[in-house]
Amino acid sequence: MNPLRRRYSIKDQHKHIIGTPIQDTPLGARVIRRGVDESTLLCAASCPQPPMIPLSIQLCGAFLAAVLLQRLLSMSYGILRNRLRSQLPGPRSPSLLFGYAWQFWTTDPTELHEQWVKCFGRTIQYRIFSNVHLFTMDLKALGHILTRDNVYQKPPQVRSFVAQMLGNGTVLTEGAEHRKRRRVVSPAFGPTQIREFTGLFQKQASQLRDILALEVTRHDGVASVDFYDWMQRMTLEIIGGAAFSHDIGALDTEQKPNELCDAFRLVSQEVTRASVYPMLRFFFPVLRILPEEQCRRFAKARDAMGQFARQIIEEKKQELALGHGYGFEKARGKRGNLLTRMVEANMEATLGDSERLSTENIIDEIATILLAGHESTAITLSWFMFRVASHQDVQAMLREELFSISTESPNIEQISGLRYLDNVVREVVRLHPATPSSVRMAMEDDFLPLGGPVVANDVAQDRIWVPKGTPVVIPILGINRDIALWGEDAHEFRPERWDTLPETVSGIPGVWANTLTFGGGLHGCLGYRFSINQIKVVAFTLLRSFELELAVPATDIGKSSTTFVRPIQISNPERGPHLPMLVRAYTKPE
């Protein structure tokens, strides 16, 4: 073997060099031929060397590099071949690599969408990374998208990303699996069943009222409180009682934190500052194999909730199976918590084995109810309180109507009959959806019908070709405050609009109140009645007892740029979701 071809470690080379003429060593021969002197060689051989990178890390890095390279190549190919670019107008991308990814990740894109609609029309295209997105405010097109769930489904990266928080519940399933799960879950959310939770809503709202009253007394008549935090606590207590008949202890200020309560708080502490890495993890799922703090937090929370739910499920199954059979007392299903109702529905004799949900499936459903249900309602209640605190005239009119009911514990029919309260709730839901937009993906090629034609290459078209794999944006907030539908005051908070709505909003394909806040079509929110009734009961209880005022200027309250749009204090964003309010006791005039 040629000695110059041998491979030496630095240690071996150093041992070989000592006591040997430099020219006679393989290393010396190799270096001297390049014109390096002996002192340089000895110095190089004796210097400490960094440890070798483990082979597993090298392979992982090579794999990620290959994936990213493949992604970059597919991005270029996808941009060139997508036919939407030739069919539809749209804005020029600010970045060759990212497109509009960073803008959409760090801010609510609704205002940007509204600007584009003014410039390019109601149906446009734009790019995020390599994906050419279809965006439309056309109601006929949106109705088509929301009702054809076999064609337009949640993109895989969205499903896997949201599953980190919610598990794989009904919200994330599609097609036959979605219908199977909905068949078991929906009976728990019927109008009659939801009506029976009124007492639970009143109990927890009254407990919060008593806590706030004590705070007011302690602070000489004016208490400064974070209303977002209290709305979180109360809705968490409500969802614990509704789902499990379990006292979570979120409103107990003296009780030590428990594992389940801590799990909810972990998930609620979603990051409020935008950064590049979470964005890349969202758009490039392969990066999710690497550990990340928020994912670990979600996993810990899911494990705690899953363990608790699994125990409750087994107890309910044993209880129902003890000599009663599957058809045991149909009337019993009218009462009880959501979990009991789901277990009962899942054990119906009319269901085949393939139609039943597994224990893990039911745990996913409960996790979805616990997290999405309590979080979205807490957010809407926070914005409700923000609006009535910043519009004192609305608060006064609302309170006057609330006192038209003499009892402090009305039934839901009495509360539902309060017209102005209903108007205010609808207006808050319209302007403050928990999520400002959603997205679907075309799972096959499709022709999308349009109510208003688009002009491409000087030709008016009443339908457009949507290639398979195209992401389609559902502009929830955009539709909810569309000037073309709601009028020039669409962005204003005006509860009176609900007395005489414009005819144009009747075509909005939403499940409640001519809005898209609770979705539409086959994937509309199952729990919207639960949320609306809860908001009304809480508003009735608190506004009869307190006067609310913002502790900071209304212009200092902004929206977080996270999955759920929470209130934040613009001058103190580091604090995270926050709604500072001044609370005073209200005494009704004689």
Side-chain angles (χ1 to χ4, degrees):
M1 176 185 292
N2 185 345
L4 298 183
R5 306 292 295 178
R6 293 179 60 191
R7 301 175 64 91
Y8 285 81
S9 71
I10 291 296
K11 183 177 180 181
D12 290 338
Q13 292 166 3
H14 190 212
K15 289 173 63 178
H16 191 76
I17 286 168
I18 302 301
T20 305
I22 294 298
Q23 297 89 331
D24 295 338
T25 66
L27 181 63
R30 186 163 59 248
V31 175
I32 286 175
R33 286 185 180 183
R34 297 176 184 171
V36 180
D37 59 25
E38 294 183 20
S39 61
T40 302
L41 178 59
L42 284 171
C43 181
S46 60
C47 286
Q49 299 296 314
M52 294 289 291
I53 299 175
L55 180 60
S56 59
I57 300 297
Q58 295 184 50
L59 292 175
C60 182
F63 171 73
L64 290 176
V67 169
L68 292 176
L69 178 60
Q70 185 272 335
R71 182 66 175 171
L72 289 173
L73 292 174
S74 66
M75 283 173 59
S76 303
Y77 176 71
I79 293 171
L80 293 173
R81 73 179 180 85
N82 195 293
R83 290 177 55 183
L84 280 181
R85 291 170 61 84
S86 61
Q87 291 187 87
L88 297 174
R92 173 176 291 184
S93 295
S95 168
L96 182 63
L97 176 62
F98 291 103
Y100 278 96
W102 180 248
Q103 287 81 354
F104 280 31
W105 185 258
T106 56
T107 61
D108 174 5
T110 301
E111 291 186 7
L112 201 54
H113 284 150
E114 290 169 342
Q115 293 173 14
W116 290 343
V117 167
K118 291 179 181 178
C119 296
F120 302 106
R122 297 179 66 80
T123 301
I124 62 174
Q125 56 80 26
Y126 57 84
R127 183 170 61 82
I128 294 180
F129 286 105
S130 65
N131 294 315
V132 178
H133 284 55
L134 170 63
F135 171 87
T136 184
M137 299 273 281
D138 188 290
L139 296 186
K140 184 176 182 179
L142 289 172
H144 178 88
I145 293 164
L146 292 172
T147 54
R148 297 198 64 192
D149 70 334
N150 61 317
V151 177
Y152 297 96
Q153 301 180 356
K154 292 182 177 65
Q157 65 265 38
V158 171
R159 291 205 295 263
S160 61
F161 186 80
V162 176
Q164 296 178 91
M165 295 182 284
L166 304 182
N168 292 301
T170 302
V171 172
L172 298 178
T173 55
E174 300 287 352
E177 180 65 20
H178 177 78
R179 288 186 285 275
K180 168 186 170 181
R181 295 196 181 207
R182 199 173 179 99
R183 189 182 303 119
V184 171
V185 176
S186 58
F189 291 96
T192 302
Q193 287 74 19
I194 296 302
R195 186 181 299 115
E196 293 169 359
F197 287 121
T198 304
L200 174 65
F201 300 158
Q202 291 170 339
K203 174 186 174 183
Q204 302 304 339
S206 297
Q207 185 176 352
L208 177 58
R209 178 197 61 201
D210 295 342
I211 292 171
L212 294 178
L214 184 59
E215 287 294 305
V216 170
T217 302
R218 285 175 176 173
H219 292 85
D220 299 325
V222 182
S224 178
V225 301
D226 177 4
F227 240 81
Y228 173 77
D229 179 61
W230 285 111
M231 294 300 100
Q232 279 274 329
R233 289 167 175 256
M234 183 194 59
T235 56
L236 178 54
E237 199 66 69
I238 287 174
I239 205 68
F244 299 128
S245 299
H246 180 75
D247 182 3
I248 292 178
L251 284 176
D252 191 340
T253 55
E254 298 181 358
Q255 179 175 310
K256 293 182 178 180
N258 58 68
E259 188 176 14
L260 190 61
C261 190
D262 288 343
F264 280 99
R265 289 194 171 275
L266 282 173
V267 176
S268 298
Q269 291 168 2
E270 186 184 5
V271 293
T272 54
R273 286 181 297 176
S275 58
V276 174
Y277 184 56
M279 178 187 73
L280 294 176
R281 285 173 58 86
F282 176 81
F283 289 108
F284 300 97
V286 67
L287 295 177
R288 296 175 198 169
I289 64 175
L290 301 177
E292 197 263 335
E293 176 59 31
Q294 182 167 284
C295 294
R296 285 192 289 264
R297 198 163 66 224
F298 288 155
K300 182 178 179 181
R302 283 201 317 274
D303 289 345
M305 286 183 290
Q307 183 178 357
F308 181 80
R310 189 175 288 105
Q311 177 183 347
I312 299 293
I313 289 170
E314 293 306 321
E315 290 175 359
K316 294 299 179 185
K317 283 184 176 180
Q318 292 175 14
E319 178 185 329
L320 293 172
L322 281 176
H324 299 301
Y326 290 150
F328 168 58
E329 294 182 15
K330 282 288 187 181
R332 183 180 178 198
K334 295 180 180 179
R335 290 196 171 274
N337 56 49
L338 297 173
L339 177 57
T340 299
R341 291 168 180 169
M342 275 191 276
V343 172
E344 288 179 344
N346 197 47
M347 295 177 70
E348 287 288 347
T350 55
L351 292 180
D353 290 340
S354 62
E355 297 174 299
R356 301 186 195 280
L357 304 186
S358 67
T359 298
E360 294 303 318
N361 292 154
I362 296 178
I363 289 174
D364 284 337
E365 299 302 333
I366 290 297
T368 300
I369 292 169
L370 290 174
L371 295 174
H374 111 271
E375 181 73 13
S376 59
T377 304
I379 290 170
T380 305
L381 266 168
S382 297
W383 288 118
F384 180 97
M385 299 304 173
F386 166 77
R387 287 295 184 175
V388 298
S390 55
H391 293 78
Q392 290 294 318
D393 57 332
V394 171
Q395 186 176 161
M397 292 176 63
L398 195 50
R399 188 177 290 109
E400 181 180 354
E401 182 184 62
L402 298 181
F403 274 108
S404 67
I405 296 178
S406 57
T407 177
E408 291 187 355
S409 302
N411 57 42
I412 198 62
E413 285 76 19
Q414 290 174 295
I415 293 178
S416 297
L418 298 173
R419 185 178 182 84
Y420 194 64
L421 173 61
D422 188 63
N423 285 358
V424 176
V425 172
R426 287 171 182 262
E427 189 73 342
V428 171
V429 167
R430 181 181 75 88
L431 291 175
H432 297 284
T435 53
S437 61
S438 182
V439 66
R440 298 290 186 271
M441 176 175 282
M443 309 310 291
E444 60 185 62
D445 295 342
D446 187 41
F447 276 110
L448 182 66
L450 301 174
V454 296
V455 177
N457 300 321
D458 298 325
V459 178
Q461 304 179 53
D462 61 1
R463 63 176 185 169
I464 55 175
W465 176 253
V466 181
K468 178 181 178 180
T470 300
V472 182
V473 179
I474 310 296
I476 297 173
L477 179 57
I479 290 294
N480 286 1
R481 65 180 197 185
D482 183 11
I483 291 176
L485 299 174
W486 298 90
E488 291 298 323
D489 62 353
H491 289 219
E492 298 176 17
F493 178 76
R494 197 172 66 83
E496 294 77 14
R497 78 172 70 250
W498 293 92
D499 292 330
T500 53
L501 283 178
E503 182 64 28
T504 47
V505 305
S506 62
I508 298 175
V511 298
W512 189 77
N514 304 99
T515 67
L516 290 181
T517 299
F518 293 107
L522 302 176
H523 282 257
C525 176
L526 284 170
Y528 75 91
R529 294 186 187 91
F530 183 92
S531 180
I532 294 300
N533 288 356
Q534 184 179 165
I535 292 168
K536 289 183 176 182
V537 170
V538 172
F540 179 89
T541 303
L542 297 184
L543 291 180
R544 282 168 56 109
S545 301
F546 304 108
E547 293 179 338
L548 304 180
E549 180 185 349
L550 290 176
V552 298
T555 53
D556 196 26
I557 300 298
K559 300 178 180 179
S560 65
S561 57
T562 47
T563 307
F564 291 111
V565 181
R566 306 172 175 93
I568 60 170
Q569 191 173 345
I570 297 173
S571 61
N572 188 16
E574 298 297 327
R575 185 165 180 175
H578 180 56
L579 183 59
M581 303 270 275
L582 300 177
V583 182
R584 297 177 177 86
Y586 176 78
T587 302
K588 182 183 177 182
E590 295 297 335

